Amino acid sequence: SPKRSSVYLMQALVELYFAHRTAERGKALKTEKESRQRFHKHFSQHLTKIPEEITEIDLLRIRHQILKSGGKMATVEWILGFYRTI
């Protein structure tokens, strides 16, 4: 089950987000594949957590990891914005 104590895990929330956006628009987002890949790449360690288990230090580590590996601040902003949306 994708739930833990009636709260969705991050992986399930990502799936629900894209399903909702597809239903809302009547078609999948053009960037869905890239968005999924980007989110999974940077949040892979946190997909089995509920949002409340992801701490500020986790988000700072993700930010640091992206920038340290040569990623751009725009990627950091997108990842953290997507996390907030979910």
Side-chain angles (χ1 to χ4, degrees):
S1 172
K3 292 184 178 185
R4 184 188 303 158
S5 302
S6 299
V7 178
Y8 284 100
L9 302 178
M10 288 300 297
Q11 178 64 46
L13 289 174
V14 170
E15 298 305 320
L16 286 171
Y17 170 80
F18 284 114
H20 175 73
R21 291 300 306 262
T22 298
E24 186 177 75
R25 296 169 41 99
K27 60 182 178 177
L29 296 171
K30 291 180 183 178
T31 60
E32 181 176 340
K33 181 179 177 184
E34 294 83 3
S35 297
R36 284 179 182 274
Q37 290 172 342
R38 194 177 304 138
F39 190 77
H40 284 275
K41 176 181 178 180
H42 299 294
F43 265 84
S44 61
Q45 296 175 359
H46 308 292
L47 292 175
T48 58
K49 293 181 178 181
I50 60 173
E52 290 79 14
E53 293 174 328
I54 298 175
T55 65
E56 187 68 28
I57 195 78
D58 291 330
L59 298 175
L60 289 172
R61 284 183 182 132
I62 290 169
R63 178 184 187 275
H64 178 73
Q65 175 191 7
I66 293 169
L67 296 175
K68 183 179 176 186
S69 66
K72 297 182 179 177
M73 192 53 142
T75 302
V76 171
E77 291 170 359
W78 184 91
I79 287 291
L80 297 180
F82 187 71
Y83 168 74
R84 281 190 299 275
T85 299
I86 288 178

